[in-house]
Amino acid sequence: MRPELFRLFDVGFPSYFVLLLSGFLFATALGVLWARRIGQNPDVVVDLGLAMLLAGVAGSRILHVIADGHFWEYVHLCTDPAKVDWPFDRAECLSPAYDGVWDAERAICHPRNADCLAWAKFWAGGLTYYGGFIGATIAAVFLLRRDRFPFWKAADMAAFAIPTGLAFGRMGCLLAGCCFGAQTKLPWGLSFPPRSPASESQAKEHLLGSARMWSAPVHPTQIYESALSLAIAMTCLYVVHPRKRYDGQVFAAFLVLYAVARFAVEILRRDDRGGLVGLSTSQLIGLGLVVAAAIVHRTRAPARLAAS
C-alpha cells in the first residue's frame, strides 16, 4: 500500500490520482491511433480525452458524495464537525497530523474545524467509476456533435479504450488501499497495513481487535477488476470489433461485459459503496446499463455502417 506515489518539489502525488490520470492518457493515445487508422481527425480525440477527464472526475466525485454512504459526513463536516467521528485514538486525534478534538465521554475523535469544501477534494480519494462514466459520456456527446465526429464510431473506440484506462485506475485503488474485498483464506489474499481502510472497516465490524493492526487477508478485488478490465478491452478490440455488423455494437458489448464483471466483483467488496434493495449502487447502475445496451442493439442493429 502506497497512498502517495512520489513527491515533487515537496508536493505529494496520490497514487490513485496519478494512475487514474495515466489511464486516461493511455486511453487517449489509443484513441488517437485508432482515429488515424480510420481516417478521422485525431485532434478531436485529444480534445475529447481532456474534456472527458475533467467531466469524468467531476461526475465520479459527485456520485461518490451522493451515493457512497458519506453524504451526511460531508454535510456535518461543514455544518457541525462534532457530528463527524474519526477512527483515531486520543494520541492520534491530538497529534499535529490530525489536530482533532477528543471526546473523552465517547472516546471518539472529531474534526476541530469545519470544512465546507471537503466534498470537492477529489485528489484526496473518493471517486466512483460509474459517476465518471456518466460525466464523461455527457461531455463526449456534446463535443462529438460539435465537431461532427461520428458518434457511434467513437463509442466503439471507447469500448476498448475505457477498460484499458480503468485497469490503471484499479491498480491505483490497490496502492491507496480502497475498494478492498471480503476476508479470504485463499493463498492470494492480501493484508493491508494498520490504519488502512480495510483495517478500519474490520475493526468497526469487530472482526479485528484494533484499526492499528494489520487487516485480515482479503480478496484483492482491485486486481480482479483490473484484470477483468484488460480482458474486456481485448475482447472488444480483437473479438467483437472485427466482427461487428453496425457502429455501436462494440460499445453495447462493453456495457454488458463490464456490468457483469463489476456485478460479480461487487459481491466480494466490503468498502462503503451505498446501495438499495440488497444491491450496491454500482450493481444497480450496471443493471441499467445492460438495459441501455439492449436498447442500443435493438435500435442500431438494422442500420448500415454507411448510414452512421
Side-chain angles (χ1 to χ4, degrees), residues 217-238:
V218 298
H219 282 283
T221 46
Q222 309 95 328
I223 298 177
Y224 295 167
E225 189 172 343
S226 182
L228 287 169
S229 295
L230 286 177
I232 291 170
M234 289 188 290
T235 299
C236 288
L237 180 60
Y238 295 113

Side-chain angles (χ1 to χ4, degrees), residues 256-286:
V256 174
L257 290 172
Y258 182 77
V260 171
R262 180 63 180 269
F263 195 99
V265 171
E266 287 283 306
I267 296 173
L268 296 176
R269 280 179 57 172
R270 290 297 182 270
D271 56 312
D272 293 331
R273 289 155 294 133
L276 191 67
V277 298
L279 298 176
S280 71
T281 302
S282 293
Q283 288 175 321
L284 292 170
I285 294 176

Side-chain angles (χ1 to χ4, degrees), residues 18-31 33-34 52 129 133 155-172 222-223 225-238 250 254 257-258:
V18 170
L19 286 184
L20 178 68
L21 180 60
S22 299
F24 260 99
L25 293 175
F26 195 83
T28 301
L30 285 177
L33 293 174
W34 166 85
M52 290 178 69
Y129 161 74
F133 176 78
D156 283 345
M157 176 272 292
F160 56 83
I162 290 175
T164 301
L166 184 59
F168 283 81
R170 285 307 178 199
M171 296 312 293
Q222 309 95 328
I223 298 177
E225 189 172 343
S226 182
L228 287 169
S229 295
L230 286 177
I232 291 170
M234 289 188 290
T235 299
C236 288
L237 180 60
Y238 295 113
V250 188
F254 158 67
L257 290 172
Y258 182 77

